[in-house]
């Protein structure tokens, strides 16, 4: 096989090494536009896990790399005059120059030809090759030449950063957070070889602009940073290497390979490294990503030696999920550094924990394995704060964050786990039955602190489907009271009800019959903020007038009174997911030109009026929350900035907590799913609106809950599918975390039972 690598960075060099190791008969030529002695940057970082991967792929190369490593286990966080240290992290730093020299020597020893100072802009320049590996960086020429196929995008971030070096030998991966008269400056620093360290300075655009750095030369930048960080540098100097203030760009491509005709010839092209995807420096080295790209590519080529297009498809299928996951984590991490000012009032221990878990790939359990003493300090601090907030005595044994109490008005929750409202579509004319008793009762016995009953509609016309529960008839109160009494009599859980009106999403089939699809028969008229059907084939709702608003508000008040009569402890107003109240809030579904349309203040007018009416009818000592969609996942819809304002408005009207969900406003939404994908919205609202939040969305493990709570991203955590899978999720979490949670008397024999999973 004849292969041309465009770019002599880590991706191209490492791919060529692995190709020659796999088959010495491969003819591999690397073309590099720059001189080989002209690398950009100072040091690169590898985790121990990455090191294991590289060692398996090519032990000889990794052994040479290891001989140059600067090793550390600690992370030092300098915050408000304190240094908080977390250990056990396992990182290695390496000079980028040393790495490139090692890779180049290894490649040439295996027979790879490297041609430096050669710019390759056309396939004709590389001759008749079987494969072009385009690894020519974030500004890839080859990616742009085939842009109509790769469909690249670059998300340029607002923060400014400059990559510097220093002779100060940092003993740990070090973060500084320092204010001056211009604002907050962040530093990421680490040693990459003896007496040499990387020193990255980052700030918001406003701080950078205020400091006069917009027009600064490299020398002026270095002089400014040396003055600002004189104490931290301890007499050492800073040095530059094309060190100008930059904005990070996240590179993505819809596809990573091409096989077809181009420039009158057949081509196979694959993107590697920064040409294919970039990850923010706060989460790890792009070098790691590039070298792991090479490992997967060469394995795919070995599996299909005579069918390169198939090999490239295999490469992309295997690599894409890993890269997408890493880029999602990097996005959360870079946003944390863009918004660090938000966290600067946290306790030092919580601030450190929040920083360490910012990408949400590192969890409470991960940190406990790495540094149990640090996590024990965090847990003790959190338990003390929780005991104060709840007005209870500090327990003799420190519980994990999940099992700390939480008080809202006159209600005390024993733990922070909430069973999320989950529609069961199993009611008869709105009345809950045995299914609901077992569904809710089993989860109450399962140990959750709060059980939220499904979205319960305030009128028959407000139901999503014929199988939805309601609170608009006396028999509904009796049906719910039976369930509430069971929960109160047989568990320590509290129980809440979520009141809603489906709006334009009403009169549809049960979920398993066709989610949000119109009924084939037996349908009823629907109303909404504007006469816009949910699907093109859905019936258009009638636009609500003043009389409709008055009537529906009265239905909410009546349902609230019934909820209290049924004995519920907590009430939640559903103003999310495109249902009636949400249809007023989102500009995608509210096209009104009256006092209820246009700007956010107008769009919030009716939802806030309903909230006020419900709050007035609900007992003062009982909590009330509201669920919102923090983002519509569509252009011109609600975004996370507007969600903060929405939450702030509800706070001003007396909400006790905001249940932060997302999407489901319009069917053409383009959500970005992933682990804990909605938690960042809760985080932002909690800190910027200053209101307690409830996080929801792909939370599945006890360590997820511990991490979210201890970092201050939410006050309560709602789990839906995890509780469908395991009604006793909370009790099983207690077992896993070594927390003594008593079982009901009927299950006392479990004291002598040891679960085994193999």
């Amino acid at each position: 096989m004849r292969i041309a690598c465009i770019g002599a960075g880590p991706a191209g060099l490492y791919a060529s090494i692995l190709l020659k190791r796999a088959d010495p008969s491969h003819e591999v030529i690397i073309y590099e536009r720059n001189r080989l002695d002209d690398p950009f940057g100072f040091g690169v970082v590898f985790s121990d896990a990455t090191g294991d991967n590289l060692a398996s792929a090519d032990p000889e190369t990794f052994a040479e790399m290891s001989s140059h490593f600067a090793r550390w286990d600690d992370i030092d966080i300098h915050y408000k005059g304190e240094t908080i240290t977390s250990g056990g992290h396992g990182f290695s730093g390496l000079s980028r120059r040393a790495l490139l020299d090692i890779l180049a020597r290894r490649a040439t020893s295996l027979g790879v030809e490297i041609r430096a100072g050669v710019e390759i802009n056309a396939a004709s320049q590389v001759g008749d090759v079987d494969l072009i590996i385009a690894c020519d960086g974030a500004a890839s020429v080859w990616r742009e030449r085939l842009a109509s196929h790769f469909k690249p995008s670059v998300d340029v971030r607002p923060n400014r950063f400059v990559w510097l070096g220093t002779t100060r030998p940092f003993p740990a991966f070090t973060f500084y957070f320092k204010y001056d008269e211009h604002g907050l400056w962040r530093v990421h620093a680490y040693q990459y070889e003896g007496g040499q360290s990387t020193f990255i300075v980052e700030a918001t655009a406003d701080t950078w602009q205020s400091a006069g750095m917009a027009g600064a030369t490299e020398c002026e930048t270095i002089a400014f940073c040396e003055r600002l960080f004189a104490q931290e540098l301890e007499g050492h100097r800073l040095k530059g290497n094309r060190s100008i203030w930059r904005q990070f760009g996240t590179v993505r491509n819809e596809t990573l390979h091409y096989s077809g005709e181009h420039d009158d010839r057949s081509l196979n092209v694959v993107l590697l490294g920064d040409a294919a995807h970039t990850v923010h420096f706060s989460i790890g080295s792009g070098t790691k990503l590039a070298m792991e790209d090479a490992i997967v590519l060469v394995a795919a080529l070995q599996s299909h030696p005579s069918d390169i297009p198939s090999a490239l498809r295999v490469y992309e299928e295997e690599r894409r999920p890993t890269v997408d996951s890493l880029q999602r984590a990097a996005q959360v991490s870079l946003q944390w550094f863009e918004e660090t000012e938000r966290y600067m009032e946290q306790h030092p221990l919580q601030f450190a924990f929040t920083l360490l878990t910012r990408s949400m790939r590192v969890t409470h359990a991960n940190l406990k394995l790495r540094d149990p003493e640090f996590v024990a300090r965090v847990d003790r601090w959190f338990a003390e704060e929780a005991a104060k907030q709840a007005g209870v005595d500090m327990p003799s044994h420190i519980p994990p964050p999940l099992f700390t109490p939480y008080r809202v008005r006159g209600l005390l929750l024993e733990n922070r786990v909430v069973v999320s409202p989950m529609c069961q579509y199993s009611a008869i004319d709105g009345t809950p039955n045995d299914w609901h008793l077992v569904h809710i009762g089993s989860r109450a016995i399962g140990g959750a602190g709060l059980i939220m009953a499904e979205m319960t509609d305030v009128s028959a016309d407000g139901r999503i489907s014929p199988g939805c529960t309601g609170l608009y008839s006396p028999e509904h109160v009796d049906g719910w009271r039976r369930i509430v009494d069971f929960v109160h009599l047989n568990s320590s859980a509290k129980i809440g009800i979520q009141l809603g009106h489906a709006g334009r999403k009403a009169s549809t089939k049960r979920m398993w019959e066709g989610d949000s699809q119109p009924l084939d028969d037996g349908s009823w008229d629907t109303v909404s903020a504007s006469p816009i059907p949910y699907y093109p084939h859905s019936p258009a709702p009638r636009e609500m007038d003043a009389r409709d608003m008055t009537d529906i508000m009265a239905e909410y008040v009546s349902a609230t009174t019934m909820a209290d009569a049924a004995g519920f402890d907590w009430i939640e107003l559903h103003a999310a997911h495109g249902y009636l109240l949400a249809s007023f809030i989102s500009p995608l579904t509210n096209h009104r030109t009256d006092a209820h349309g246009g700007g956010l203040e107008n769009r919030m007018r009716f939802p806030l009026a309903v909230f006020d009416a419900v709050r007035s009818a609900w007992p003062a000592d009982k909590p009330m929350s509201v669920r919102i969609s923090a983002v519509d996942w569509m252009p011109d819809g609600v975004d996370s900035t507007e969600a903060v304002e929405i939450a702030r408005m509800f706070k001003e009207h007396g909400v006790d907590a905001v249940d932060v969900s997302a999407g489901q406003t319009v069917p053409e939404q383009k959500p970005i799913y992933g682990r804990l994908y909605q938690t960042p919205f809760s985080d932002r609202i909690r800190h910027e609106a200053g209101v307690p939040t409830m996080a929801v969305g792909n939370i599945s493990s006890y360590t997820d809950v511990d991490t979210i709570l201890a970092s201050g991203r939410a006050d309560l955590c709602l789990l839906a599918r995890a509780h469908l899978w395991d009604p006793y999720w909370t009790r099983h979490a207690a077992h896993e975390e070594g927390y003594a949670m008593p079982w009901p008397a009927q299950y006392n024999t479990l004291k002598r039972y040891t679960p085994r999973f193999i």
Side-chain angles (χ1 to χ4, degrees), residues 297-343:
L297 173 63
V298 174
L301 290 168
Q302 284 182 273
S303 68
H304 294 79
S306 59
D307 187 354
I308 293 176
S310 292
L312 299 186
R313 285 193 295 272
V314 169
Y315 162 73
E316 179 148 0
E317 287 169 4
E318 181 172 342
R319 196 68 181 132
R320 173 71 71 180
T322 300
V323 170
D324 286 352
S325 175
L326 191 59
Q327 284 195 309
R328 284 194 298 269
Q331 183 75 11
V332 177
S333 178
L334 72 84
Q335 287 177 337
W336 191 93
F337 281 100
E338 289 171 356
E339 299 155 355
T340 306
E341 285 83 352
R342 175 191 298 166
Y343 307 101

Side-chain angles (χ1 to χ4, degrees), residues 425 464-465 504-519 534-535 537-539 577 579 664 667:
Y425 306 101
I464 302 169
S465 78
R504 70 176 189 154
K505 296 174 78 174
S507 189
T508 61
K509 297 178 180 179
R510 292 170 176 85
M511 180 182 61
W512 54 84
E513 297 170 340
D515 192 16
S516 297
Q517 294 296 327
L519 290 168
Y534 185 68
Y535 288 118
H537 59 276
S538 300
H577 300 170
Y579 297 126
Q664 302 180 52

Side-chain angles (χ1 to χ4, degrees), residues 550-571:
T550 299
D551 290 347
I552 288 176
M553 195 179 306
E555 290 169 348
Y556 270 99
V557 170
S558 176
T560 301
T561 303
M562 291 182 179
D564 185 40
F568 283 102
D569 304 302
W570 183 301
I571 201 165

Side-chain angles (χ1 to χ4, degrees), residues 140-401:
S140 170
V141 171
W142 275 89
R143 185 187 65 226
E144 296 309 312
R145 283 183 64 81
L146 292 167
S148 62
H149 175 75
F150 291 126
K151 294 181 173 59
S153 65
V154 182
D155 176 24
V156 179
R157 305 306 303 176
N159 267 19
R160 294 284 179 161
F161 71 93
V162 61
W163 205 290
L164 301 167
T166 179
T167 54
R168 184 187 163 186
F170 290 97
F173 201 112
T174 303
F175 293 101
Y176 291 109
F177 299 90
K178 186 170 187 176
Y179 277 105
D180 72 353
E181 66 272 25
H182 306 294
L184 178 66
W185 301 85
R186 307 95 157 120
V187 170
H188 317 238
Y190 58 88
Q191 187 175 191
Y192 59 83
E193 65 180 32
Q196 299 292 335
S197 298
T198 293
F199 196 87
I200 305 168
V201 182
E202 182 181 4
T204 64
D206 287 345
T207 298
W208 166 79
Q209 188 82 35
S210 173
M213 291 293 99
T217 65
E218 182 177 61
C219 290
E220 290 168 339
T221 293
I222 290 172
F224 172 82
C225 292
E226 284 184 338
R227 289 193 301 272
L228 179 60
F229 296 106
Q231 180 180 351
E232 291 76 12
L233 289 168
E234 297 180 347
H236 292 269
R237 303 297 301 275
L238 292 174
K239 58 182 179 179
N241 178 359
R242 289 177 278 173
S243 298
I244 59 172
W245 292 95
R246 302 171 184 272
Q247 293 170 273
F248 186 83
T250 301
V251 173
R252 295 182 177 89
N253 289 274
E254 285 194 13
T255 184
L256 303 178
H257 73 281
Y258 172 79
S259 294
E261 297 296 317
H262 185 74
D263 288 344
D264 299 323
R265 62 186 297 178
S266 295
L267 284 183
N268 292 301
V269 182
V270 63
L271 303 178
L272 261 65
D274 286 353
H277 33 238
T278 56
V279 292
H280 192 251
F281 53 81
S282 66
I283 198 175
S285 171
T287 302
K288 156 228 167 43
L289 196 63
M291 294 176 75
E292 290 180 340
D293 283 349
I295 293 172
V296 177
L297 173 63
V298 174
L301 290 168
Q302 284 182 273
S303 68
H304 294 79
S306 59
D307 187 354
I308 293 176
S310 292
L312 299 186
R313 285 193 295 272
V314 169
Y315 162 73
E316 179 148 0
E317 287 169 4
E318 181 172 342
R319 196 68 181 132
R320 173 71 71 180
T322 300
V323 170
D324 286 352
S325 175
L326 191 59
Q327 284 195 309
R328 284 194 298 269
Q331 183 75 11
V332 177
S333 178
L334 72 84
Q335 287 177 337
W336 191 93
F337 281 100
E338 289 171 356
E339 299 155 355
T340 306
E341 285 83 352
R342 175 191 298 166
Y343 307 101
M344 292 302 289
E345 296 305 315
Q346 287 186 321
H347 184 278
L349 277 173
Q350 187 173 47
F351 180 85
F353 185 87
T354 305
L355 184 153
L356 293 168
T357 61
R358 65 193 178 278
S359 71
M360 290 181 284
R361 289 167 68 93
V362 175
T363 67
H364 182 275
N366 296 146
L367 286 177
K368 194 172 183 179
L369 287 173
R370 300 176 191 198
D371 191 343
E373 183 179 343
F374 170 75
V375 173
R377 291 172 62 202
V378 171
D379 285 355
R380 173 173 286 279
W381 170 82
F382 191 88
E384 289 171 349
E385 293 298 307
K388 289 179 199 172
Q389 189 276 341
V392 300
D393 293 335
M394 182 71 177
S396 56
H397 297 287
I398 304 301

Side-chain angles (χ1 to χ4, degrees), residues 418-674:
V418 182
V419 175
S420 191
M422 293 175 279
C423 290
Q424 299 298 293
Y425 306 101
S426 300
I428 305 299
D429 294 328
T431 304
N433 50 45
D434 287 350
W435 175 268
H436 300 86
L437 175 66
V438 173
H439 168 69
I440 292 173
S442 60
R443 282 149 187 87
I445 294 171
L450 175 64
I451 315 295
M452 289 301 296
E454 65 190 78
M455 173 175 152
T456 298
D457 302 295
V458 298
S459 68
D461 287 349
R463 292 174 298 163
I464 302 169
S465 78
C468 289
T469 55
L471 266 175
Y472 49 86
S473 294
E475 56 266 30
H476 300 160
V477 178
D478 294 338
W480 280 121
R481 186 185 294 115
R482 174 174 175 241
I483 295 168
V484 171
D485 288 349
F486 178 90
V487 171
H488 287 158
L489 181 64
N490 295 286
S491 77
S492 59
K494 304 300 186 292
I495 181 168
I497 186 96
Q498 185 186 69
L499 293 185
H501 186 298
R504 70 176 189 154
K505 296 174 78 174
S507 189
T508 61
K509 297 178 180 179
R510 292 170 176 85
M511 180 182 61
W512 54 84
E513 297 170 340
D515 192 16
S516 297
Q517 294 296 327
L519 290 168
D520 295 328
D521 53 62
S523 61
W524 56 88
D525 292 338
T526 60
V527 295
S528 189
S530 296
I532 306 169
Y534 185 68
Y535 288 118
H537 59 276
S538 300
R542 177 170 53 82
E543 180 172 294
M544 288 173 58
D545 59 21
R547 177 64 180 271
D548 294 321
M549 293 182 197
T550 299
D551 290 347
I552 288 176
M553 195 179 306
E555 290 169 348
Y556 270 99
V557 170
S558 176
T560 301
T561 303
M562 291 182 179
D564 185 40
F568 283 102
D569 304 302
W570 183 301
I571 201 165
E572 178 166 283
L573 195 64
H574 200 325
H577 300 170
Y579 297 126
L580 182 64
L581 298 183
S583 73
F584 277 86
I585 296 173
S586 174
L588 298 177
T589 50
N590 183 341
H591 294 179
R592 302 175 72 102
T593 57
D594 62 4
H596 295 278
L600 181 61
E601 184 176 351
N602 280 0
R603 288 184 274 123
M604 287 294 293
R605 195 181 301 273
F606 181 61
L608 288 173
V610 172
F611 179 91
D612 289 343
V614 171
R615 181 66 269 183
S616 295
W618 188 240
D621 63 338
K622 291 187 178 184
M624 180 174 175
S625 58
V626 61
R627 173 169 280 192
I628 67 169
S629 287
V631 61
D632 285 335
W633 302 119
M634 282 294 290
D636 302 320
V638 170
D639 60 16
S640 61
T641 300
E642 195 166 59
V644 172
E645 295 306 312
I646 292 168
R648 190 174 285 128
M649 290 180 181
F650 278 117
K651 176 189 175 185
E652 290 169 356
H653 284 248
V655 77
D656 294 302
V658 176
D659 179 351
V660 185
S661 189
Q664 302 180 52
T665 304
V666 292
E668 63 270 26
Q669 67 175 6
K670 296 181 179 178
I672 303 172
Y673 292 125

